[in-house]
Amino acid sequence: MDFLDLRLRVSDLVGNRSISDALSFLTLQAETVLNRRLRTMWQIQDFAPVWTNHEAPLPPDFLQLVHPDNRLWVRAGTIYRKPYYTRPSEIEYYAVLPTVTTGPDGTNWLLDQFPMAYVYATGVEAAKHLRLAEIGLATQALLDDEILAIKIEDDRARYSHRSVRVQGCNP
């Protein structure tokens, strides 16, 4: 699926093909919602900060630290570290979803793996735009279910091959 397919599916979902001129904006709004709600292993990126006086610029697609640390903090596109802290050399962070609105064949990992999340998220924004309350509520419920499915799939991918060790005395 690509952005052109997404436009057609969302137009069919809300029952209005004339909305295609606003779909780039609505898709960007949907990506903002998805960026707020998703934190998956597919978003994790590494970067090596270039420290100058215990501060370094963040990558442009930075969303959130994977492992928050009380010796590191983020403010206004810059990461700071406490003066006595000499690490880390690499930091993991969640990256913003790459936008699919760059062209008719635009795609990203979420659209490839979970296309209905994009359809429902953009459908909710289109229903708001068209003031279609019933379609918006129904599509929001479908989006919530899809996001839950993505989180379950993420948990399975992250933790399915892990073993659990019980600490303490074992009989």
Side-chain angles (χ1 to χ4, degrees):
M1 181 182 252
D2 57 17
F3 184 58
L4 185 59
D5 295 329
L6 177 66
R7 290 172 61 170
L8 294 173
R9 286 194 183 189
V10 171
S11 297
D12 290 342
L13 179 68
V14 296
N16 190 339
R17 286 280 175 113
S18 65
I19 197 169
S20 66
D21 60 337
L23 235 59
S24 292
F25 171 75
L26 297 174
T27 303
L28 289 172
Q29 292 296 105
E31 288 172 345
T32 301
V33 169
L34 291 168
N35 279 323
R36 266 188 259 138
R37 295 189 63 189
L38 291 178
R39 297 293 182 273
T40 67
M41 66 177 225
W42 299 288
Q43 290 174 278
I44 295 176
Q45 301 290 325
D46 292 328
F47 88 102
V50 179
W51 298 103
T52 307
N53 295 328
H54 305 290
E55 62 183 62
L58 289 169
D61 64 345
F62 179 86
L63 192 59
Q64 179 181 350
L65 291 172
V66 173
H67 305 288
D69 188 338
N70 63 355
R71 295 168 289 195
L72 298 172
W73 67 95
V74 174
R75 185 174 38 221
T78 303
I79 187 166
Y80 299 90
R81 67 180 178 186
K82 296 210 174 183
Y84 59 83
Y85 191 48
T86 59
R87 292 188 204 165
S89 58
E90 282 208 355
I91 295 177
E92 286 186 325
Y93 69 97
Y94 292 107
V96 172
L97 288 171
T99 186
V100 298
T101 60
T102 56
D105 57 348
T107 189
N108 63 21
W109 67 268
L110 184 62
L111 191 59
D112 289 340
Q113 293 181 21
F114 305 100
M116 295 313 292
Y118 253 101
V119 172
Y120 296 146
T122 309
V124 168
E125 296 303 317
K128 288 179 194 176
H129 180 74
L130 295 170
R131 296 184 174 93
L132 302 172
E134 285 185 23
I135 292 174
L137 289 172
T139 308
Q140 182 67 49
L142 293 171
L143 174 62
D144 292 341
D145 289 344
E146 190 68 19
I147 287 178
L148 180 62
I150 291 169
K151 289 180 180 181
I152 290 170
E153 185 67 28
D154 177 53
D155 285 344
R156 285 184 185 150
R158 284 191 204 204
Y159 308 116
S160 65
H161 300 293
R162 304 271 173 111
S163 60
V164 176
R165 290 188 177 208
V166 178
Q167 293 184 0
C169 297
N170 276 331

